[in-house]
Amino acid sequence: VIKQSGGKRKNPFFVVIPTTSGTGSEVTSYSVLTDTESDTKIPLKDDSMYPDIAILDCDFTKTMPPAVTADTGMDVLTHAIEAYVSNVASDCTTALAQMAIEFVFEYLPNCYTNGLDSHSRGKIHNASCMAGMAFENASLGINHSLAHTFGAKFHVSHGKANAVLLPYVIPYNSGLFDHNDNVPFTTALQYQKIAKLIGLPASDMKEAVTMLIKAIKLLNIKLQPPTSIREMGIDEATYMAMVDTMAETAMIDICTAGNPRLPQIDDLKHILINAFNGISNR
């Protein structure tokens, strides 16, 4: 119901009940519009999109097909990791992102194989909400910027686009594979903390980042998303012809501002090309 007060229209009382465990939009001011004529996704952010009440009930997620469970679950992981390494992360967003990351690695495979498991479903539903609160306050990064444009141009689901790009964004953000002494390794240290958090070998930054990339690829394999864009069956010539446009679109995406490393358009092109060819470092 839209209420009138003094001739002014007030927003309706907004109650949301998510039926997937992925976007976390029940606790954010974000939305995404898709222009189907230009194959463009337009992320929006405005306080008027905050819900008044969010109700989390994992029973509503039990009918999600395995593929949707996988795609939305990898969206949760991407939200959490990008919020964790964001250039405006805080202690509170980091704590939320940490738990979401742990829950995804621990419970998402079982959600995929046993969708009626209430315990695992509940943990991933909570992870989605926590990751939403994390990125609402810490922003996202170029993984989402690239996923928006790639997903729109090639009609790939958002979660799957995030999943396939994540192992190629992480090495860029870490700076460990650039052979450039001027790149600070602050983000690499954050990735090292994530690797330790989920029990990966992480004796130094390069081992940690390498193992984190491998762990994400292995999770993708368990959930059956592809580990490279080429594996999606997308025509190489068509894809490469779109790389410049996708990089330019990602550069001006609202999410790019939160990335821990300020990219140039050529950097985004490299990531897109590496993701197509399955090359996890530059």
Side-chain angles (χ1 to χ4, degrees):
V1 177
I2 298 177
K3 300 177 181 179
Q4 300 285 340
S5 176
K8 294 182 179 179
R9 189 174 70 178
K10 289 187 176 181
N11 287 336
F13 194 75
F14 189 12
V15 180
V16 295
I17 306 174
T19 57
T20 65
S21 303
T23 67
S25 59
E26 70 274 10
V27 288
T28 79
S29 58
Y30 281 91
S31 184
V32 178
L33 297 179
T34 301
D35 183 337
T36 55
E37 291 187 4
S38 64
D39 287 333
T40 303
K41 287 189 176 183
I42 307 164
L44 306 172
K45 179 175 170 62
D46 190 271
D47 286 354
S48 66
M49 290 187 282
Y50 276 125
D52 294 291
I53 293 177
I55 298 173
L56 298 183
D57 186 342
C58 69
D59 281 348
F60 287 108
T61 70
K62 289 181 178 178
T63 56
M64 279 197 295
V68 177
T69 298
D71 290 352
T72 55
M74 291 305 292
D75 195 21
V76 174
L77 181 63
T78 310
H79 287 159
I81 290 178
E82 289 209 289
Y84 189 94
V85 302
S86 164
N87 56 27
V88 290
S90 68
D91 290 344
C92 291
T93 60
T94 295
L96 289 163
Q98 281 179 339
M99 185 160 285
I101 291 167
E102 287 184 280
F103 279 8
V104 169
F105 276 99
E106 185 170 355
Y107 296 105
L108 184 57
N110 196 47
C111 281
Y112 177 78
T113 57
N114 183 12
L116 296 178
D117 182 343
S118 294
H119 181 68
S120 295
R121 284 289 193 193
K123 292 294 187 181
I124 294 300
H125 213 37
N126 288 340
S128 176
C129 185
M130 289 186 289
M133 288 189 283
F135 82 74
E136 169 67 15
N137 292 281
S139 191
L140 291 165
I142 58 172
N143 206 108
H144 265 74
S145 302
L146 292 167
H148 286 152
T149 184
F150 164 62
K153 296 298 183 188
F154 291 94
H155 303 163
V156 175
S157 74
H158 178 62
K160 185 170 289 187
N162 270 323
V164 75
L165 287 164
L166 189 56
Y168 307 97
V169 169
I170 287 174
Y172 167 75
N173 278 341
S174 76
L176 293 173
F177 305 95
D178 290 354
H179 308 293
N180 183 348
D181 293 335
N182 295 320
V183 177
F185 297 132
T186 306
T187 310
L189 285 170
Q190 295 297 90
Y191 288 137
Q192 186 177 26
K193 291 178 183 177
I194 293 173
K196 290 179 178 178
L197 181 72
I198 57 176
L200 299 175
S203 59
D204 57 52
M205 289 185 294
K206 185 163 281 191
E207 179 184 40
V209 171
T210 300
M211 294 306 296
L212 179 59
I213 292 166
K214 287 183 178 180
I216 293 168
K217 284 189 172 184
L218 284 173
L219 185 56
N220 277 338
I221 291 169
K222 285 181 182 178
L223 304 176
Q224 297 184 354
T227 58
S228 71
I229 293 172
R230 186 189 295 276
E231 292 175 13
M232 292 179 167
I234 293 173
D235 178 70
E236 182 172 6
T238 303
Y239 179 85
M240 293 303 172
M242 293 298 299
V243 163
D244 286 0
T245 299
M246 289 191 291
E248 290 165 5
T249 303
M251 193 70 189
I252 60 174
D253 189 289
I254 191 175
C255 296
T256 298
N259 201 66
R261 183 177 177 187
L262 181 63
Q264 302 298 317
I265 287 182
D266 281 349
D267 297 324
L268 300 179
K269 290 179 187 177
H270 280 300
I271 294 168
L272 287 166
I273 293 169
N274 286 348
F276 185 87
N277 292 317
I279 300 171
S280 292
N281 60 61
R282 297 179 68 184

